[in-house]
Amino acid sequence: VWPQARNRGLGARLVDAAVSIAAACGVARLHLFTPAHRAWYASLGWQMLERRRLGEVDVDVMWIAPASVRPAA
């Protein structure tokens, strides 16, 4: 989300939409990596899997089970 459009819930709605689509497609588990936003994704229900080195950057690898997430309103 562009900086000028942040803090309006757009990022959470985008993530919720992606997770909902994955659930509708029968995806059992989604993964992502983030260098700096673990707490934000955790607030959306993502779980920490591990911390890894990706090139020169340490990233947090996280997961979510789409079927276990209640669709956003």
Short mmCIF file of all heavy atoms in Angstrom, two decimals:
data_model
loop_
_atom_site.label_atom_id
_atom_site.label_comp_id
_atom_site.label_asym_id
_atom_site.label_seq_id
_atom_site.Cartn_x
_atom_site.Cartn_y
_atom_site.Cartn_z
N VAL A 1 0.87 -1.18 0.00
CA VAL A 1 0.00 0.00 0.00
C VAL A 1 0.90 1.23 0.00
O VAL A 1 1.83 1.33 0.80
CB VAL A 1 -0.93 0.00 1.23
CG1 VAL A 1 -1.75 1.26 1.30
CG2 VAL A 1 -1.84 -1.22 1.21
N TRP A 2 0.63 2.15 -0.88
CA TRP A 2 1.42 3.37 -0.96
C TRP A 2 1.38 4.12 0.35
O TRP A 2 0.34 4.14 1.03
CB TRP A 2 0.92 4.27 -2.07
CG TRP A 2 1.19 3.75 -3.45
CD1 TRP A 2 2.02 2.73 -3.80
CD2 TRP A 2 0.63 4.24 -4.65
NE1 TRP A 2 2.01 2.55 -5.15
CE2 TRP A 2 1.16 3.48 -5.70
CE3 TRP A 2 -0.27 5.24 -4.95
CZ2 TRP A 2 0.83 3.69 -7.02
CZ3 TRP A 2 -0.60 5.46 -6.28
CH2 TRP A 2 -0.06 4.69 -7.30
N PRO A 3 2.48 4.74 0.74
CA PRO A 3 2.53 5.45 2.03
C PRO A 3 1.37 6.42 2.26
O PRO A 3 0.81 6.49 3.35
CB PRO A 3 3.87 6.18 1.99
CG PRO A 3 4.72 5.33 1.10
CD PRO A 3 3.77 4.80 0.04
N GLN A 4 0.98 7.15 1.23
CA GLN A 4 -0.09 8.14 1.41
C GLN A 4 -1.47 7.49 1.62
O GLN A 4 -2.41 8.16 2.03
CB GLN A 4 -0.13 9.14 0.25
CG GLN A 4 -0.43 8.53 -1.09
CD GLN A 4 0.78 8.07 -1.87
OE1 GLN A 4 1.80 7.70 -1.29
NE2 GLN A 4 0.69 8.08 -3.20
N ALA A 5 -1.58 6.19 1.36
CA ALA A 5 -2.86 5.49 1.53
C ALA A 5 -2.87 4.56 2.74
O ALA A 5 -3.82 3.82 2.95
CB ALA A 5 -3.17 4.69 0.27
N ARG A 6 -1.83 4.63 3.56
CA ARG A 6 -1.74 3.73 4.72
C ARG A 6 -2.64 4.17 5.86
O ARG A 6 -3.16 5.27 5.88
CB ARG A 6 -0.29 3.65 5.19
CG ARG A 6 0.55 2.90 4.18
CD ARG A 6 1.95 2.64 4.66
NE ARG A 6 2.65 1.93 3.60
CZ ARG A 6 3.94 2.00 3.38
NH1 ARG A 6 4.70 2.73 4.16
NH2 ARG A 6 4.48 1.32 2.40
N ASN A 7 -2.83 3.24 6.81
CA ASN A 7 -3.64 3.45 8.01
C ASN A 7 -5.12 3.62 7.71
O ASN A 7 -5.83 4.33 8.43
CB ASN A 7 -3.11 4.63 8.83
CG ASN A 7 -1.70 4.39 9.31
OD1 ASN A 7 -1.39 3.29 9.79
ND2 ASN A 7 -0.82 5.36 9.14
N ARG A 8 -5.58 2.98 6.67
CA ARG A 8 -7.00 3.00 6.31
C ARG A 8 -7.58 1.59 6.22
O ARG A 8 -8.71 1.41 5.79
CB ARG A 8 -7.20 3.69 4.96
CG ARG A 8 -6.79 5.13 4.95
CD ARG A 8 -7.04 5.75 3.61
NE ARG A 8 -6.35 7.03 3.51
CZ ARG A 8 -6.19 7.69 2.40
NH1 ARG A 8 -6.69 7.24 1.27
NH2 ARG A 8 -5.55 8.84 2.39
N GLY A 9 -6.76 0.59 6.56
CA GLY A 9 -7.23 -0.78 6.51
C GLY A 9 -7.12 -1.44 5.15
O GLY A 9 -7.56 -2.58 4.97
N LEU A 10 -6.52 -0.76 4.18
CA LEU A 10 -6.43 -1.32 2.83
C LEU A 10 -5.55 -2.56 2.77
O LEU A 10 -5.89 -3.54 2.11
CB LEU A 10 -5.91 -0.27 1.85
CG LEU A 10 -6.78 0.98 1.69
CD1 LEU A 10 -6.07 2.01 0.81
CD2 LEU A 10 -8.13 0.62 1.10
N GLY A 11 -4.42 -2.52 3.44
CA GLY A 11 -3.51 -3.67 3.44
C GLY A 11 -4.18 -4.89 4.04
O GLY A 11 -4.08 -6.00 3.49
N ALA A 12 -4.87 -4.72 5.15
CA ALA A 12 -5.56 -5.84 5.79
C ALA A 12 -6.64 -6.39 4.87
O ALA A 12 -6.82 -7.61 4.77
CB ALA A 12 -6.15 -5.40 7.12
N ARG A 13 -7.35 -5.52 4.17
CA ARG A 13 -8.39 -5.98 3.24
C ARG A 13 -7.78 -6.74 2.07
O ARG A 13 -8.35 -7.75 1.61
CB ARG A 13 -9.24 -4.81 2.77
CG ARG A 13 -10.08 -4.28 3.91
CD ARG A 13 -11.20 -3.34 3.58
NE ARG A 13 -11.20 -2.67 2.31
CZ ARG A 13 -11.37 -1.36 2.15
NH1 ARG A 13 -11.54 -0.57 3.18
NH2 ARG A 13 -11.38 -0.83 0.94
N LEU A 14 -6.63 -6.30 1.58
CA LEU A 14 -5.95 -7.02 0.50
C LEU A 14 -5.51 -8.41 0.95
O LEU A 14 -5.71 -9.41 0.25
CB LEU A 14 -4.75 -6.23 -0.01
CG LEU A 14 -5.05 -5.00 -0.84
CD1 LEU A 14 -3.79 -4.15 -1.02
CD2 LEU A 14 -5.64 -5.39 -2.18
N VAL A 15 -4.91 -8.48 2.13
CA VAL A 15 -4.46 -9.77 2.67
C VAL A 15 -5.67 -10.67 2.91
O VAL A 15 -5.66 -11.86 2.55
CB VAL A 15 -3.62 -9.59 3.94
CG1 VAL A 15 -3.33 -10.93 4.61
CG2 VAL A 15 -2.32 -8.86 3.62
N ASP A 16 -6.73 -10.14 3.51
CA ASP A 16 -7.94 -10.93 3.75
C ASP A 16 -8.52 -11.47 2.45
O ASP A 16 -8.95 -12.62 2.38
CB ASP A 16 -9.01 -10.09 4.46
CG ASP A 16 -8.69 -9.84 5.93
OD1 ASP A 16 -7.79 -10.51 6.48
OD2 ASP A 16 -9.35 -8.96 6.52
N ALA A 17 -8.51 -10.65 1.40
CA ALA A 17 -9.03 -11.10 0.10
C ALA A 17 -8.18 -12.24 -0.45
O ALA A 17 -8.72 -13.23 -0.95
CB ALA A 17 -9.07 -9.93 -0.88
N ALA A 18 -6.86 -12.12 -0.36
CA ALA A 18 -5.98 -13.18 -0.86
C ALA A 18 -6.19 -14.48 -0.09
O ALA A 18 -6.26 -15.57 -0.68
CB ALA A 18 -4.52 -12.73 -0.76
N VAL A 19 -6.33 -14.38 1.23
CA VAL A 19 -6.55 -15.57 2.06
C VAL A 19 -7.92 -16.18 1.74
O VAL A 19 -8.05 -17.41 1.65
CB VAL A 19 -6.40 -15.22 3.56
CG1 VAL A 19 -6.82 -16.40 4.44
CG2 VAL A 19 -4.96 -14.82 3.87
N SER A 20 -8.92 -15.36 1.53
CA SER A 20 -10.27 -15.86 1.19
C SER A 20 -10.26 -16.58 -0.15
O SER A 20 -10.90 -17.63 -0.31
CB SER A 20 -11.27 -14.71 1.16
OG SER A 20 -11.45 -14.18 2.45
N ILE A 21 -9.56 -16.03 -1.13
CA ILE A 21 -9.46 -16.68 -2.44
C ILE A 21 -8.75 -18.02 -2.30
O ILE A 21 -9.17 -19.03 -2.88
CB ILE A 21 -8.76 -15.77 -3.45
CG1 ILE A 21 -9.66 -14.58 -3.78
CG2 ILE A 21 -8.37 -16.54 -4.72
CD1 ILE A 21 -8.97 -13.46 -4.53
N ALA A 22 -7.68 -18.05 -1.52
CA ALA A 22 -6.95 -19.31 -1.30
C ALA A 22 -7.87 -20.34 -0.64
O ALA A 22 -7.87 -21.52 -1.02
CB ALA A 22 -5.71 -19.06 -0.45
N ALA A 23 -8.67 -19.91 0.34
CA ALA A 23 -9.60 -20.83 1.00
C ALA A 23 -10.61 -21.38 0.00
O ALA A 23 -10.90 -22.58 -0.01
CB ALA A 23 -10.31 -20.12 2.15
N ALA A 24 -11.15 -20.52 -0.86
CA ALA A 24 -12.13 -20.94 -1.86
C ALA A 24 -11.53 -21.93 -2.86
O ALA A 24 -12.24 -22.77 -3.41
CB ALA A 24 -12.69 -19.73 -2.59
N CYS A 25 -10.23 -21.84 -3.07
CA CYS A 25 -9.52 -22.74 -3.99
C CYS A 25 -9.04 -24.01 -3.31
O CYS A 25 -8.40 -24.86 -3.95
CB CYS A 25 -8.34 -22.01 -4.63
SG CYS A 25 -8.84 -20.70 -5.76
N GLY A 26 -9.29 -24.13 -2.02
CA GLY A 26 -8.89 -25.33 -1.29
C GLY A 26 -7.44 -25.37 -0.85
O GLY A 26 -6.93 -26.43 -0.50
N VAL A 27 -6.78 -24.22 -0.85
CA VAL A 27 -5.38 -24.17 -0.40
C VAL A 27 -5.34 -24.42 1.11
O VAL A 27 -6.05 -23.76 1.87
CB VAL A 27 -4.74 -22.81 -0.75
CG1 VAL A 27 -3.35 -22.69 -0.15
CG2 VAL A 27 -4.71 -22.62 -2.26
N ALA A 28 -4.54 -25.38 1.53
CA ALA A 28 -4.49 -25.74 2.94
C ALA A 28 -3.62 -24.81 3.77
O ALA A 28 -3.90 -24.58 4.95
CB ALA A 28 -3.98 -27.18 3.09
N ARG A 29 -2.56 -24.28 3.16
CA ARG A 29 -1.63 -23.46 3.93
C ARG A 29 -0.93 -22.47 3.01
O ARG A 29 -0.44 -22.84 1.95
CB ARG A 29 -0.61 -24.39 4.59
CG ARG A 29 0.24 -23.76 5.63
CD ARG A 29 0.91 -24.86 6.43
NE ARG A 29 1.95 -24.31 7.26
CZ ARG A 29 2.51 -24.92 8.27
NH1 ARG A 29 2.14 -26.13 8.59
NH2 ARG A 29 3.45 -24.36 8.96
N LEU A 30 -0.90 -21.21 3.44
CA LEU A 30 -0.18 -20.16 2.72
C LEU A 30 1.05 -19.77 3.51
O LEU A 30 1.03 -19.81 4.74
CB LEU A 30 -1.05 -18.91 2.58
CG LEU A 30 -2.20 -18.92 1.61
CD1 LEU A 30 -2.97 -17.60 1.71
CD2 LEU A 30 -1.70 -19.11 0.19
N HIS A 31 2.09 -19.36 2.80
CA HIS A 31 3.31 -18.88 3.43
C HIS A 31 3.65 -17.49 2.88
O HIS A 31 3.31 -17.17 1.74
CB HIS A 31 4.48 -19.81 3.14
CG HIS A 31 4.35 -21.13 3.80
ND1 HIS A 31 3.68 -22.18 3.22
CD2 HIS A 31 4.79 -21.58 4.99
CE1 HIS A 31 3.73 -23.22 4.03
NE2 HIS A 31 4.39 -22.89 5.11
N LEU A 32 4.34 -16.71 3.69
CA LEU A 32 4.87 -15.43 3.24
C LEU A 32 6.17 -15.19 3.98
O LEU A 32 6.48 -15.88 4.95
CB LEU A 32 3.89 -14.29 3.51
CG LEU A 32 3.53 -13.91 4.94
CD1 LEU A 32 4.61 -13.10 5.66
CD2 LEU A 32 2.25 -13.09 4.94
N PHE A 33 6.94 -14.24 3.48
CA PHE A 33 8.10 -13.78 4.24
C PHE A 33 8.07 -12.28 4.30
O PHE A 33 7.59 -11.61 3.39
CB PHE A 33 9.43 -14.32 3.68
CG PHE A 33 9.82 -13.75 2.35
CD1 PHE A 33 10.54 -12.55 2.27
CD2 PHE A 33 9.51 -14.40 1.17
CE1 PHE A 33 10.92 -12.03 1.05
CE2 PHE A 33 9.88 -13.89 -0.06
CZ PHE A 33 10.59 -12.69 -0.12
N THR A 34 8.55 -11.76 5.41
CA THR A 34 8.58 -10.31 5.61
C THR A 34 9.84 -9.95 6.39
O THR A 34 10.17 -10.61 7.37
CB THR A 34 7.33 -9.81 6.35
OG1 THR A 34 7.42 -8.39 6.54
CG2 THR A 34 7.11 -10.49 7.68
N PRO A 35 10.55 -8.92 5.96
CA PRO A 35 11.73 -8.51 6.71
C PRO A 35 11.39 -7.65 7.93
O PRO A 35 12.21 -7.54 8.84
CB PRO A 35 12.55 -7.71 5.70
CG PRO A 35 11.55 -7.24 4.69
CD PRO A 35 10.44 -8.25 4.67
N ALA A 36 10.19 -7.06 7.98
CA ALA A 36 9.97 -6.08 9.04
C ALA A 36 8.54 -5.98 9.57
O ALA A 36 8.29 -5.14 10.42
CB ALA A 36 10.39 -4.70 8.55
N HIS A 37 7.61 -6.80 9.11
CA HIS A 37 6.21 -6.59 9.49
C HIS A 37 5.57 -7.80 10.16
O HIS A 37 4.36 -8.03 10.01
CB HIS A 37 5.41 -6.16 8.27
CG HIS A 37 5.93 -4.89 7.66
ND1 HIS A 37 5.79 -3.67 8.28
CD2 HIS A 37 6.63 -4.67 6.53
CE1 HIS A 37 6.37 -2.75 7.54
NE2 HIS A 37 6.90 -3.33 6.47
N ARG A 38 6.36 -8.57 10.90
CA ARG A 38 5.85 -9.77 11.56
C ARG A 38 4.65 -9.47 12.45
O ARG A 38 3.64 -10.16 12.40
CB ARG A 38 6.95 -10.45 12.37
CG ARG A 38 6.45 -11.69 13.10
CD ARG A 38 7.54 -12.41 13.84
NE ARG A 38 8.13 -11.54 14.85
CZ ARG A 38 9.24 -11.82 15.50
NH1 ARG A 38 9.90 -12.93 15.25
NH2 ARG A 38 9.71 -10.99 16.39
N ALA A 39 4.74 -8.44 13.27
CA ALA A 39 3.65 -8.13 14.20
C ALA A 39 2.36 -7.78 13.46
O ALA A 39 1.27 -8.17 13.89
CB ALA A 39 4.05 -6.99 15.13
N TRP A 40 2.48 -7.06 12.36
CA TRP A 40 1.29 -6.69 11.59
C TRP A 40 0.60 -7.93 11.02
O TRP A 40 -0.60 -8.09 11.14
CB TRP A 40 1.65 -5.70 10.48
CG TRP A 40 0.45 -5.20 9.75
CD1 TRP A 40 -0.43 -4.24 10.16
CD2 TRP A 40 -0.02 -5.64 8.47
NE1 TRP A 40 -1.41 -4.06 9.22
CE2 TRP A 40 -1.18 -4.91 8.16
CE3 TRP A 40 0.45 -6.58 7.55
CZ2 TRP A 40 -1.89 -5.09 6.99
CZ3 TRP A 40 -0.27 -6.75 6.37
CH2 TRP A 40 -1.42 -6.01 6.11
N TYR A 41 1.38 -8.82 10.40
CA TYR A 41 0.79 -10.05 9.87
C TYR A 41 0.24 -10.91 11.00
O TYR A 41 -0.83 -11.52 10.85
CB TYR A 41 1.81 -10.83 9.03
CG TYR A 41 2.00 -10.23 7.66
CD1 TYR A 41 3.13 -9.49 7.34
CD2 TYR A 41 1.03 -10.38 6.67
CE1 TYR A 41 3.30 -8.93 6.09
CE2 TYR A 41 1.19 -9.82 5.41
CZ TYR A 41 2.32 -9.10 5.13
OH TYR A 41 2.49 -8.54 3.88
N ALA A 42 0.93 -10.97 12.12
CA ALA A 42 0.42 -11.74 13.26
C ALA A 42 -0.94 -11.21 13.71
O ALA A 42 -1.82 -11.97 14.09
CB ALA A 42 1.42 -11.71 14.42
N SER A 43 -1.12 -9.89 13.64
CA SER A 43 -2.41 -9.32 14.03
C SER A 43 -3.53 -9.75 13.08
O SER A 43 -4.71 -9.66 13.43
CB SER A 43 -2.32 -7.79 14.09
OG SER A 43 -2.31 -7.22 12.79
N LEU A 44 -3.17 -10.23 11.89
CA LEU A 44 -4.14 -10.73 10.92
C LEU A 44 -4.30 -12.24 10.98
O LEU A 44 -5.01 -12.83 10.16
CB LEU A 44 -3.72 -10.31 9.50
CG LEU A 44 -3.61 -8.81 9.25
CD1 LEU A 44 -3.11 -8.55 7.84
CD2 LEU A 44 -4.94 -8.11 9.49
N GLY A 45 -3.63 -12.87 11.94
CA GLY A 45 -3.78 -14.31 12.14
C GLY A 45 -2.65 -15.18 11.62
O GLY A 45 -2.69 -16.40 11.74
N TRP A 46 -1.62 -14.57 11.03
CA TRP A 46 -0.49 -15.34 10.53
C TRP A 46 0.37 -15.79 11.70
O TRP A 46 0.54 -15.09 12.68
CB TRP A 46 0.33 -14.49 9.56
CG TRP A 46 -0.40 -14.20 8.27
CD1 TRP A 46 -1.41 -13.30 8.09
CD2 TRP A 46 -0.19 -14.83 7.02
NE1 TRP A 46 -1.83 -13.33 6.79
CE2 TRP A 46 -1.10 -14.26 6.10
CE3 TRP A 46 0.68 -15.82 6.57
CZ2 TRP A 46 -1.16 -14.65 4.77
CZ3 TRP A 46 0.62 -16.19 5.23
CH2 TRP A 46 -0.30 -15.62 4.36
N GLN A 47 0.95 -17.00 11.57
CA GLN A 47 1.80 -17.60 12.59
C GLN A 47 3.26 -17.59 12.14
O GLN A 47 3.55 -17.82 10.97
CB GLN A 47 1.38 -19.07 12.82
CG GLN A 47 -0.06 -19.26 13.20
CD GLN A 47 -0.32 -18.86 14.61
OE1 GLN A 47 0.47 -19.11 15.50
NE2 GLN A 47 -1.46 -18.22 14.83
N MET A 48 4.14 -17.37 13.09
CA MET A 48 5.58 -17.40 12.81
C MET A 48 6.02 -18.84 12.59
O MET A 48 5.66 -19.73 13.37
CB MET A 48 6.32 -16.79 14.00
CG MET A 48 7.80 -16.76 13.85
SD MET A 48 8.26 -15.59 12.59
CE MET A 48 10.03 -15.62 12.77
N LEU A 49 6.75 -19.09 11.52
CA LEU A 49 7.30 -20.41 11.25
C LEU A 49 8.79 -20.44 11.57
O LEU A 49 9.25 -21.28 12.35
CB LEU A 49 7.07 -20.79 9.79
CG LEU A 49 7.56 -22.16 9.34
CD1 LEU A 49 6.85 -23.26 10.11
CD2 LEU A 49 7.36 -22.33 7.84
N GLU A 50 9.55 -19.51 11.01
CA GLU A 50 10.99 -19.46 11.26
C GLU A 50 11.57 -18.14 10.77
O GLU A 50 10.94 -17.42 10.01
CB GLU A 50 11.71 -20.62 10.58
CG GLU A 50 11.63 -20.58 9.06
CD GLU A 50 12.28 -21.79 8.40
OE1 GLU A 50 13.05 -22.50 9.07
OE2 GLU A 50 12.00 -22.01 7.22
N ARG A 51 12.75 -17.86 11.23
CA ARG A 51 13.52 -16.70 10.76
C ARG A 51 14.63 -17.26 9.87
O ARG A 51 15.31 -18.21 10.24
CB ARG A 51 14.11 -15.94 11.94
CG ARG A 51 14.77 -14.65 11.53
CD ARG A 51 14.51 -13.59 12.59
NE ARG A 51 15.12 -12.33 12.28
CZ ARG A 51 14.54 -11.35 11.60
NH1 ARG A 51 13.32 -11.49 11.18
NH2 ARG A 51 15.17 -10.23 11.37
N ARG A 52 14.78 -16.69 8.68
CA ARG A 52 15.77 -17.17 7.71
C ARG A 52 16.54 -16.01 7.12
O ARG A 52 16.07 -14.88 7.12
CB ARG A 52 15.08 -17.87 6.54
CG ARG A 52 14.40 -19.12 6.89
CD ARG A 52 14.23 -19.93 5.66
NE ARG A 52 14.73 -21.24 6.04
CZ ARG A 52 15.11 -22.15 5.20
NH1 ARG A 52 15.09 -21.92 3.93
NH2 ARG A 52 15.55 -23.30 5.62
N ARG A 53 17.65 -16.34 6.57
CA ARG A 53 18.47 -15.37 5.84
C ARG A 53 18.08 -15.48 4.38
O ARG A 53 18.07 -16.57 3.80
CB ARG A 53 19.94 -15.70 6.03
CG ARG A 53 20.84 -14.64 5.50
CD ARG A 53 21.34 -13.85 6.67
NE ARG A 53 22.31 -12.87 6.23
CZ ARG A 53 22.27 -11.62 6.64
NH1 ARG A 53 21.36 -11.24 7.50
NH2 ARG A 53 23.15 -10.77 6.23
N LEU A 54 17.75 -14.37 3.75
CA LEU A 54 17.42 -14.33 2.33
C LEU A 54 18.37 -13.33 1.70
O LEU A 54 18.19 -12.11 1.83
CB LEU A 54 15.96 -13.91 2.13
CG LEU A 54 15.46 -13.86 0.70
CD1 LEU A 54 15.53 -15.24 0.05
CD2 LEU A 54 14.02 -13.36 0.66
N GLY A 55 19.39 -13.83 1.06
CA GLY A 55 20.44 -12.95 0.54
C GLY A 55 21.12 -12.27 1.70
O GLY A 55 21.68 -12.92 2.58
N GLU A 56 21.05 -10.96 1.74
CA GLU A 56 21.68 -10.17 2.80
C GLU A 56 20.70 -9.77 3.91
O GLU A 56 21.06 -9.02 4.81
CB GLU A 56 22.29 -8.91 2.19
CG GLU A 56 23.37 -9.18 1.18
CD GLU A 56 24.60 -9.84 1.80
OE1 GLU A 56 25.02 -9.40 2.89
OE2 GLU A 56 25.13 -10.79 1.19
N VAL A 57 19.46 -10.26 3.82
CA VAL A 57 18.41 -9.81 4.73
C VAL A 57 17.85 -10.97 5.55
O VAL A 57 17.61 -12.05 5.02
CB VAL A 57 17.25 -9.16 3.92
CG1 VAL A 57 16.13 -8.70 4.83
CG2 VAL A 57 17.76 -8.01 3.07
N ASP A 58 17.63 -10.74 6.82
CA ASP A 58 16.92 -11.71 7.66
C ASP A 58 15.42 -11.46 7.50
O ASP A 58 14.97 -10.31 7.56
CB ASP A 58 17.29 -11.55 9.13
CG ASP A 58 18.71 -12.01 9.41
OD1 ASP A 58 19.18 -12.95 8.74
OD2 ASP A 58 19.36 -11.42 10.29
N VAL A 59 14.67 -12.54 7.26
CA VAL A 59 13.23 -12.41 7.09
C VAL A 59 12.51 -13.38 8.01
O VAL A 59 13.06 -14.40 8.42
CB VAL A 59 12.80 -12.68 5.62
CG1 VAL A 59 13.41 -11.65 4.68
CG2 VAL A 59 13.13 -14.09 5.18
N ASP A 60 11.28 -13.05 8.34
CA ASP A 60 10.40 -13.93 9.10
C ASP A 60 9.52 -14.66 8.10
O ASP A 60 8.87 -14.03 7.25
CB ASP A 60 9.53 -13.13 10.06
CG ASP A 60 10.35 -12.42 11.11
OD1 ASP A 60 11.27 -13.06 11.67
OD2 ASP A 60 10.09 -11.24 11.38
N VAL A 61 9.51 -15.99 8.18
CA VAL A 61 8.63 -16.81 7.35
C VAL A 61 7.40 -17.11 8.19
O VAL A 61 7.51 -17.58 9.32
CB VAL A 61 9.33 -18.11 6.90
CG1 VAL A 61 8.40 -18.96 6.04
CG2 VAL A 61 10.63 -17.80 6.15
N MET A 62 6.23 -16.83 7.63
CA MET A 62 4.98 -16.98 8.37
C MET A 62 4.00 -17.83 7.56
O MET A 62 4.17 -17.99 6.36
CB MET A 62 4.39 -15.60 8.67
CG MET A 62 5.36 -14.71 9.43
SD MET A 62 4.68 -13.10 9.85
CE MET A 62 3.65 -13.55 11.26
N TRP A 63 2.98 -18.34 8.23
CA TRP A 63 1.99 -19.17 7.56
C TRP A 63 0.60 -18.92 8.13
O TRP A 63 0.45 -18.39 9.23
CB TRP A 63 2.33 -20.65 7.67
CG TRP A 63 2.20 -21.19 9.06
CD1 TRP A 63 3.14 -21.15 10.06
CD2 TRP A 63 1.06 -21.84 9.62
NE1 TRP A 63 2.65 -21.73 11.20
CE2 TRP A 63 1.37 -22.17 10.96
CE3 TRP A 63 -0.19 -22.17 9.12
CZ2 TRP A 63 0.47 -22.82 11.80
CZ3 TRP A 63 -1.09 -22.82 9.97
CH2 TRP A 63 -0.74 -23.14 11.28
N ILE A 64 -0.40 -19.31 7.34
CA ILE A 64 -1.79 -19.26 7.78
C ILE A 64 -2.55 -20.39 7.07
O ILE A 64 -2.21 -20.76 5.95
CB ILE A 64 -2.43 -17.89 7.49
CG1 ILE A 64 -3.70 -17.69 8.28
CG2 ILE A 64 -2.66 -17.69 5.99
CD1 ILE A 64 -4.20 -16.25 8.29
N ALA A 65 -3.53 -20.95 7.75
CA ALA A 65 -4.41 -21.95 7.16
C ALA A 65 -5.68 -21.23 6.72
O ALA A 65 -6.50 -20.86 7.56
CB ALA A 65 -4.73 -23.05 8.17
N PRO A 66 -5.86 -20.97 5.42
CA PRO A 66 -7.00 -20.18 4.95
C PRO A 66 -8.36 -20.67 5.40
O PRO A 66 -9.23 -19.86 5.71
CB PRO A 66 -6.88 -20.25 3.42
CG PRO A 66 -5.42 -20.45 3.19
CD PRO A 66 -4.98 -21.35 4.33
N ALA A 67 -8.54 -21.97 5.48
CA ALA A 67 -9.85 -22.50 5.87
C ALA A 67 -10.21 -22.15 7.31
O ALA A 67 -11.38 -22.15 7.68
CB ALA A 67 -9.90 -24.01 5.66
N SER A 68 -9.20 -21.84 8.12
CA SER A 68 -9.46 -21.55 9.54
C SER A 68 -9.75 -20.07 9.79
O SER A 68 -10.07 -19.68 10.91
CB SER A 68 -8.26 -21.98 10.39
OG SER A 68 -7.15 -21.12 10.14
N VAL A 69 -9.66 -19.26 8.74
CA VAL A 69 -9.85 -17.81 8.89
C VAL A 69 -11.28 -17.45 8.50
O VAL A 69 -11.76 -17.83 7.44
CB VAL A 69 -8.85 -17.04 8.00
CG1 VAL A 69 -9.08 -15.54 8.08
CG2 VAL A 69 -7.42 -17.39 8.39
N ARG A 70 -11.94 -16.72 9.39
CA ARG A 70 -13.29 -16.27 9.09
C ARG A 70 -13.22 -15.16 8.03
O ARG A 70 -12.41 -14.25 8.16
CB ARG A 70 -13.94 -15.74 10.37
CG ARG A 70 -15.42 -15.45 10.20
CD ARG A 70 -16.04 -15.02 11.47
NE ARG A 70 -15.36 -13.80 11.91
CZ ARG A 70 -15.41 -13.29 13.12
NH1 ARG A 70 -16.09 -13.89 14.05
NH2 ARG A 70 -14.79 -12.19 13.43
N PRO A 71 -14.04 -15.24 6.99
CA PRO A 71 -14.01 -14.20 5.95
C PRO A 71 -14.26 -12.81 6.52
O PRO A 71 -15.05 -12.63 7.44
CB PRO A 71 -15.15 -14.60 5.00
CG PRO A 71 -15.43 -16.03 5.30
CD PRO A 71 -15.03 -16.25 6.73
N ALA A 72 -13.58 -11.83 5.95
CA ALA A 72 -13.77 -10.43 6.37
C ALA A 72 -15.13 -9.95 5.92
O ALA A 72 -15.66 -10.38 4.89
CB ALA A 72 -12.66 -9.57 5.78
N ALA A 73 -15.69 -9.04 6.69
CA ALA A 73 -17.01 -8.49 6.34
C ALA A 73 -16.90 -7.41 5.29
O ALA A 73 -15.94 -6.77 5.12
CB ALA A 73 -17.66 -7.93 7.59
#
